[in-house]
Amino acid sequence: MKAADFDYLRPSSLAEALTCLSQNVGVAQPLAGGQSLMPMMNFRVATPEVLIDLADIPDLRGVTELDGMLRIGAMTTYRDLTRITDRVPLLGLALPHIAHDAIRNRGTIGGSVALADPAAEMPALLLALGGVIELAGPDGQREVAADDFFQGYYATDRAEDELIVAIRLAVAKPGDSFGFYELTQRHGDYALAGVAIAHAPDLRIAFFGISDRPIRLPELEAALTAGTDPGPALDQIEFEGDLKASAATRRHYARVVLDRALAGMTS
Amino acid sequence: MKTKDISVIVNGEEVRASVPVRRNLVDFLRTDAGLTGSHVGCEHGVCGACTVEVNGATVRGCLMLAVQADGATVTTVEGFAASGRSAALAAAFTRRNALQCGFCTPGMLASALGYIDRGGTADRAAIREHISGNYCRCTGYQSIVEAICDVIEERTAP
């Protein structure tokens, strides 16, 4: 199908974009790379009256490094993220799993985080790395820890009149190690179950594709840190079932991806 | 219906048009530019039949609006053929029988060129992964992978 009709705005500054957004609260949708939004519009699952294209906003672009942190502009594409995988090795592990080359050329980190698909890689990666999301709105800028940002199916802490400006991730230090694994029906599909792991130096484990949001389990991280069985902690997850996999299957997959990711940790 | 005037360089020639803002890039190429080589398949970014090059990077023509391509440089399968860039690949596809109905072929060529021209190696697993976003319902991929391998091996032969 084709997208329903809409108004197309293309602001050239962050301030202008925020004005466009606040004047159209409830009917506007920011357009980043469009690699999830466009299919949703073509299916008419999404029917925004106003589309605000973020392509021309310099404040949303570029990667800077300061005090051991990378500040990644929200409009940075997956293709451009491949340039910083030496400093964020978990990105290097996760990126090849995201869709396909042609989609990675346009899809953005900010778009994925804003959409918060529970089966997407970037939200889980942010959780595992303890990332920070920088937001701008009519009342100024604020930042939210990834732990507090993802709130359910396609639901985040971002207000409708706010835009994600940048994502902050810690640069890996010597001795840090990372793991990533996901199960899909075909290469590039959304995960049936997946996990991103950072041991830097605390152990942070974020599952995706198994529940209504990417999730960390303190009990699981504590069990693995102590060297005890992580099984009981996994049983606390409210697994989601769908046409592709039942909740029980996902419970099984969660253990599979955890064991495989742990076995393949970088050194 | 909302419309916008755009100018896109398509295969080296400027195309100016007033397009509905909801029109996606591949429909613009087929309808406004008259280039029907790029095919419309699933319209949700899964099948790869609409794959074209925008500013040197392969993209899905159904996941980009024509208005987003205003000022951009687009190359389609017609452009690859006219410049000779796809000549060796097209010959290898013919030789290897890497197409039957041909519906996926323009997108397959665009994706394969994206792999070959960025220095991809004749690693069959890597090629399969690269073209995993392009569906072929006829050949079963083996012959397509062989054709892409042929071109890389021809280029790297001493």
Side-chain angles (χ1 to χ4, degrees):
Chain A
M1 275 174 63
K2 316 286 183 189
D5 201 15
F6 51 81
D7 266 323
Y8 175 80
L9 304 176
R10 192 160 173 164
S12 54
S13 71
L14 182 58
E16 193 189 336
L18 290 170
T19 303
C20 293
L21 203 50
S22 59
Q23 285 171 348
N24 295 285
V25 167
V27 295
Q29 184 70 53
L31 173 64
Q35 300 303 284
S36 296
L37 179 57
M38 283 287 298
M40 292 165 88
M41 288 170 63
N42 288 352
F43 278 132
R44 304 206 180 184
V45 173
T47 52
E49 290 175 27
V50 180
L51 208 53
I52 302 172
D53 190 343
L54 306 178
D56 289 344
I57 302 174
D59 285 350
L60 303 182
R61 298 196 168 275
V63 178
T64 50
E65 188 168 347
L66 187 68
D67 297 334
M69 297 291 287
L70 281 181
R71 185 176 183 276
I72 303 165
M75 286 292 283
T76 305
T77 62
Y78 297 125
R79 181 181 191 168
D80 288 338
L81 288 176
T82 60
R83 296 184 191 146
I84 56 170
T85 54
D86 58 331
R87 279 161 287 164
V88 188
L90 191 55
L91 271 176
L93 300 179
L95 286 171
H97 295 276
I98 299 174
H100 311 286
D101 183 64
I103 289 177
R104 292 195 294 268
N105 284 339
R106 291 202 52 88
T108 65
I109 187 170
S112 175
V113 170
L115 181 66
D117 189 306
E121 292 82 0
M122 282 299 117
L125 181 137
L126 259 65
L127 266 192
L129 292 177
V132 173
I133 295 108
E134 293 184 18
L135 297 152
D139 302 324
Q141 303 229 356
R142 69 184 179 108
E143 53 187 59
V144 185
D147 281 310
D148 302 320
F149 189 74
F150 301 104
Q151 301 182 340
Y153 276 113
Y154 305 106
T156 71
D157 190 53
R158 182 182 76 86
E160 277 194 273
D161 58 359
E162 288 183 308
L163 288 172
I164 296 177
V165 178
I167 309 293
R168 290 209 308 271
L169 298 175
V171 176
K173 297 180 183 66
D176 292 352
S177 64
F178 303 93
F180 189 93
Y181 200 90
E182 70 174 68
L183 288 169
T184 55
Q185 288 182 318
R186 294 163 301 204
H187 179 87
D189 280 6
Y190 277 110
L192 298 171
V195 68
I197 304 176
H199 193 188
D202 295 337
L203 191 61
R204 292 175 64 99
I205 300 178
F207 287 95
F208 56 100
I210 60 171
S211 189
D212 68 344
R213 72 195 79 179
I215 45 171
R216 282 179 66 206
L217 293 173
E219 296 83 355
L220 180 93
E221 292 167 359
L224 285 166
T225 303
T228 57
D229 178 20
L234 278 179
D235 287 330
Q236 297 175 11
I237 299 173
E238 284 187 38
F239 288 92
E240 296 279 334
D242 58 25
L243 284 174
K244 290 180 178 173
S246 68
T249 302
R250 281 212 161 76
R251 164 70 180 80
H252 175 73
Y253 286 167
R255 185 60 192 264
V256 170
V257 295
L258 177 64
D259 289 347
R260 291 185 186 176
L262 287 169
M265 294 287 284
T266 61
S267 52
Chain B
M1 193 183 302
K2 291 89 179 178
T3 59
K4 189 171 184 288
D5 294 337
I6 62 169
S7 163
V8 185
I9 305 293
V10 183
N11 300 334
E13 288 182 28
E14 185 183 21
V15 178
R16 287 178 178 273
S18 177
V19 296
V21 295
R22 63 191 275 265
R23 180 162 294 168
N24 62 39
L25 177 61
V26 67
D27 286 333
F28 164 79
L29 293 169
R30 292 175 59 85
T31 307
D32 301 277
L35 297 165
T36 54
S38 305
H39 292 160
V40 182
C42 71
E43 299 193 308
H44 63 283
V46 171
C47 79
C50 64
T51 306
V52 295
E53 207 176 73
V54 176
N55 294 336
T58 51
V59 306
R60 297 281 201 244
C62 72
L63 297 189
M64 184 169 178
L65 298 166
V67 289
Q68 289 180 284
D70 186 19
T73 299
V74 177
T75 310
T76 69
V77 67
E78 291 93 341
F80 296 138
S83 69
R85 212 174 126 196
S86 61
L89 194 58
F93 265 57
T94 306
R95 188 170 64 244
R96 288 286 191 176
N97 224 18
L99 67 155
Q100 288 180 34
C101 82
F103 190 83
C104 74
T105 310
M108 202 63 89
L109 292 173
S111 283
L113 286 173
Y115 181 80
I116 296 167
D117 292 350
R118 266 161 53 196
T121 59
D123 170 345
R124 283 165 172 76
I127 293 170
R128 278 187 180 272
E129 189 170 310
H130 188 89
I131 63 167
S132 63
N134 291 77
Y135 286 5
C136 171
R137 301 283 82 140
C138 300
T139 71
Y141 304 103
Q142 182 66 27
S143 48
I144 295 171
V145 174
E146 294 300 334
I148 296 170
C149 267
D150 279 359
V151 173
I152 295 168
E153 284 165 357
E154 284 163 18
R155 285 193 184 184
T156 53

